[in-house]
Amino acid sequence: MDAKTFDAKSLLDSLFENGILFESGIDGLYGRSGAFEDVIERFERLVTRLGAPDKATRIHFPPGMSRATLEKSGYMKSFPQLAGCVHSFMGGEREHAQLLGMMADGGDWTELQKATDVALTPAACYPLYPTVAARGPVPAQGLLFELSSYCFRHEPSKDPARMQLFRMREFVKIGTAEQVRSFRESWLKRGKAMIESLDLPCEVDLANDPFFGRGGKMMANNQRDQGLKFELLIPVTSIEKPTACLSFNYHQDHFGRTWGLKFADGELCHSACVGFGLERVALALFRHHGPDVEAWPAAVRDVLWGV
Amino acid sequence: MDAKTFDAKSLLDSLFENGILFESGIDGLYGRSGAFEDVIERFERLVTRLGAPDKATRIHFPPGMSRATLEKSGYMKSFPQLAGCVHSFMGGEREHAQLLGMMADGGDWTELQKATDVALTPAACYPLYPTVAARGPVPAQGLLFELSSYCFRHEPSKDPARMQLFRMREFVKIGTAEQVRSFRESWLKRGKAMIESLDLPCEVDLANDPFFGRGGKMMANNQRDQGLKFELLIPVTSIEKPTACLSFNYHQDHFGRTWGLKFADGELCHSACVGFGLERVALALFRHHGPDVEAWPAAVRDVLWGV
């Protein structure tokens, strides 16, 4: 973690050597030290503190959601390569004997499992929209939620900032186009100020999601042309390709239409979210301020541990 | 949640009606309110406070682990019905078109996914043993860890105390048979006193794991005969069949042998863990003290929110 070298391998090696992350044998799947967890918790409190004036309603979803909900959300159209579904063994004793035999022979016993109703949550807000829709019409002033969830994306990588299982904290606004755009604007400002208060270099840029396939290129271009996604980027494993640590997304009425989110007068709701990639922010802090949290700059320690 | 009726349906309905849990359409998969999360966090702090004198090393693992590690641990032999493996789509554009076609026709598109290297963590301590083994010999005084993790078990149920995805906090001791038994003894006492301080009725009883199949019955009997598993039980959805909220497990040298956990002199390590089922404890608190945490008994509030 010296000041000049920004690459994935040297950062990951240093995190292992300093006992901040622990190897699991799988790229993108790591144990976290107590120090790492403390940084995440302190950063989460900072986010909550900055969002407190808005009085968001807190809801927490587990790392898995209804597969039917994921299907209906359109995720398998846009990001089929990233989704994860949970499969389980549902056989009897004979099939179990077969499974153990295949395992002993080094065969692929997983084919004896069947898909359950559970899919892994790809982003903290996916389970929220049907939950809100079930409560009836959205009030005129809109609704604001604070979420946190473990998320899964199947993209094994040796870049520690690209984990397969990671935590995302989110604020989600559901309301009129104007309400949700103004919510996003306010977090573009607050998010940048927050990261700067942690003495991290950052820039905010237009961005697009990793839509699948050739059709996906067009969707990505559309998303950029309409300014639907911004990211706050911090150099973590590369100077040239900094890491998206916060993202600011305007969904237009995509989720409103999909889930029937409406005001009392029948008008469709728009939505926007700001997402905080908790592992990524923690990695940025360790990358820039070093492996020993006690030796981080006093001003940064004060922001995270001072209150 | 009246004082007399203890059944799963009335508890779950009351949790939904009071906005403490949110339906997902899948049994055992629920959103949690801010109040529920606050109870979980406060209880976690209580556990950490009670364990602090032992100076455990904190490690956190994500809700997924290496599938190879799960296989080697023997989990698929004992509990194949509970395990979950993550499958993902790994095809190109043609297969994607096929997937979307199957989805549109209501077909089983999940067969187009393949098993990834990731399995869901079934208990917080499973990823720990190979992590510790990789660090070399265990010191003579043994090692003590504090873990927390989301865990998955495929057992869809309308009993809110039997969730498919739930959080478990654990202390794990790795050492000599004597060290780990004395660790377990101390937590049998501390755990009971802790739950009693929350004004919850409880009893500690000999127990067994839900081993699979006919062979499993023998394993369960062995486990009972040898006193390897105790549970702290609280009535949550039934008086006759109270819910296991804490468990105290002595693994003998099972994980020591499996993962080569040894002292410097080559002697195999034993291990024991105490697990706290966080959702179950929270549900017990809501069941016995009511849906409004502000109205819980002053002594209970003091234990959870007083420090």
Side-chain angles (χ1 to χ4, degrees), chain A:
Chain A
M1 287 197 248
D2 69 85
K4 303 248 175 71
T5 321
F6 272 82
D7 73 282
K9 188 174 183 320
S10 69
L11 179 60
L12 190 55
D13 287 348
S14 156
L15 292 163
F16 289 152
E17 280 156 24
N18 285 286
I20 295 168
L21 293 185
F22 301 95
E23 296 191 65
S24 75
I26 306 295
D27 289 337
L29 215 58
Y30 310 111
R32 284 89 156 145
S33 70
F36 190 90
E37 287 303 291
D38 193 33
V39 169
I40 295 236
E41 283 169 13
R42 294 290 168 165
F43 179 72
E44 288 196 273
R45 286 191 212 174
L46 173 61
V47 171
T48 295
R49 223 152 60 223
L50 287 174
D54 304 347
K55 301 196 188 308
T57 300
R58 184 178 173 200
I59 301 188
H60 167 76
F61 293 99
M65 59 185 285
S66 153
R67 178 157 58 79
T69 299
L70 189 69
E71 291 178 20
K72 191 171 165 187
S73 73
Y75 195 82
M76 294 308 296
K77 284 185 187 140
S78 302
F79 314 108
Q81 78 283 19
L82 300 177
C85 291
V86 182
H87 287 224
S88 285
F89 172 75
M90 303 178 195
E93 304 222 22
R94 219 174 63 178
E95 293 78 13
H96 186 224
Q98 190 188 352
L99 185 159
L100 295 181
M102 289 168 91
M103 194 182 284
D105 295 342
D108 180 14
W109 59 270
T110 62
E111 65 186 41
L112 294 177
Q113 296 189 316
K114 285 182 188 161
T116 70
D117 293 329
V118 181
L120 295 185
T121 309
C125 62
Y126 272 80
L128 177 69
Y129 306 105
T131 303
V132 175
R135 290 157 40 143
V138 170
Q141 71 275 22
L143 291 168
L144 179 67
F145 296 95
E146 181 169 6
L147 309 174
S148 69
S149 175
Y150 250 106
C151 301
F152 175 83
R153 294 187 190 167
H154 186 243
E155 41 180 1
S157 164
K158 294 203 185 291
D159 180 349
R162 195 167 289 285
M163 295 192 188
Q164 295 197 62
L165 277 159
F166 57 94
R167 279 161 290 185
M168 192 187 288
R169 205 163 178 102
E170 273 193 46
F171 289 106
V172 182
K173 178 81 184 179
I174 298 172
T176 63
E178 194 175 45
Q179 283 166 352
V180 311
R181 277 200 302 247
S182 124
F183 156 83
R184 189 174 70 154
E185 276 308 309
S186 88
W187 270 109
L188 277 162
K189 288 197 199 86
R190 277 190 270 186
K192 192 157 192 292
M194 176 178 65
I195 295 300
E196 285 169 352
S197 80
L198 296 172
D199 202 8
L200 295 171
C202 68
E203 49 171 344
V204 171
D205 205 357
L206 196 60
N208 62 266
D209 286 307
F211 295 103
F212 182 77
R214 274 169 306 184
K217 290 221 176 75
M218 220 166 64
M219 293 168 79
N221 289 338
N222 273 342
Q223 196 181 28
R224 281 184 169 265
D225 289 347
Q226 296 182 71
L228 300 181
K229 185 180 190 75
F230 288 90
E231 288 176 340
L232 182 143
L233 306 160
I234 309 176
V236 178
T237 52
S238 162
I239 299 274
E240 298 74 27
K241 295 186 175 175
T243 298
C245 293
L246 278 61
S247 73
F248 310 86
N249 307 286
Y250 173 35
H251 316 123
Q252 298 173 305
D253 62 2
H254 171 74
F255 291 114
R257 254 184 302 118
T258 304
W259 296 107
L261 283 164
K262 292 175 185 173
F263 294 102
D265 65 4
E267 189 80 15
L268 276 183
C269 294
H270 286 230
S271 62
C273 68
V274 46
F276 304 82
L278 300 181
E279 275 78 3
R280 287 183 171 184
V281 172
L283 289 171
L285 285 162
F286 280 108
R287 177 64 191 80
H288 286 274
H289 303 321
D292 177 10
V293 295
E294 306 279 344
W296 287 6
V300 174
R301 284 195 57 82
D302 199 49
V303 171
L304 292 174
W305 283 274
V307 181

Side-chain angles (χ1 to χ4, degrees), chain B residues 40-62:
Chain B
I40 294 238
E41 284 170 12
R42 295 290 168 165
F43 179 72
E44 288 196 273
R45 287 191 211 172
L46 173 62
V47 170
T48 295
R49 222 151 62 222
L50 287 174
D54 304 347
K55 300 195 190 312
T57 300
R58 183 178 173 200
I59 301 189
H60 166 75
F61 293 99

